[in-house]
């Protein structure tokens, strides 16, 4: 299967109304979970933003590698948190979001 053919098949699957409906349900749940966890986990977002602003590499090297770059998500918790909480961060639109699993930063 060529790359073009594979991309066409993926595009066809992703355009299916049922796949889009399920994707919307997942996104709604991730947003709901993110809001629910905000009070507990906002301290990690604050710490991350401060570390980025000040260049604190000691903090940044401890941050979870979980990310979904295409959607602007970077988990701001410490590495190894997955046994207790899902990945958690803020979307580019400022909405808290929680998700399970990781993907390479594909931006």
């Amino acid at each position: 299967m060529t790359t073009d053919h594979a991309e066409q098949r993926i595009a066809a699957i992703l355009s299916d109304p049922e796949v889009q409906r399920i994707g919307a349900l997942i996104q709604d749940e991730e947003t709901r979970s993110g809001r629910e966890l905000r009070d507990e986990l906002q301290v990690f977002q604050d710490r991350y933003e401060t570390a980025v602003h000040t260049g604190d590499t000691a903090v940044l090297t401890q941050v979870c590698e979980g990310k979904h770059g295409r959607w602007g998500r970077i988990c701001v918790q410490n590495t190894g948190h997955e046994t207790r909480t899902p990945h958690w961060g803020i979307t580019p639109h400022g909405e808290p979001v929680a998700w399970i699993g990781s993907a390479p930063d594909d931006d």
Side-chain angles (χ1 to χ4, degrees):
M1 183 180 328
T2 66
T3 302
D4 288 340
H5 188 252
E7 289 175 0
Q8 289 173 354
R9 290 183 72 182
I10 291 169
I13 291 168
L14 293 177
S15 68
D16 180 271
E18 184 65 7
V19 171
Q20 291 182 358
R21 184 186 73 77
I22 292 169
L25 287 173
I26 291 169
Q27 184 172 345
D28 289 347
E29 179 58 23
E30 290 174 343
T31 301
R32 186 201 63 75
S33 295
R35 285 187 195 126
E36 186 176 286
L37 292 167
R38 185 176 207 154
D39 287 346
E40 177 184 349
L41 301 178
Q42 180 64 40
V43 66
F44 291 103
Q45 180 69 31
D46 297 342
R47 180 192 66 168
Y48 176 80
E49 289 174 2
T50 299
V52 168
H53 180 71
T54 62
D56 189 340
T57 55
V59 168
L60 294 174
T61 58
Q62 297 173 13
V63 172
C64 174
E65 294 180 4
K67 58 183 78 174
H68 282 264
R70 179 173 289 177
W71 299 280
R73 299 174 179 180
I74 298 173
C75 181
V76 294
Q77 297 184 76
N78 290 339
T79 298
H81 67 86
E82 298 93 325
T83 58
R84 190 178 74 77
T85 60
H87 296 293
W88 189 88
I90 302 291
T91 69
H93 307 293
E95 289 290 322
V97 63
W99 71 97
I100 297 172
S102 293
D105 189 359
D106 50 10
D107 272 343

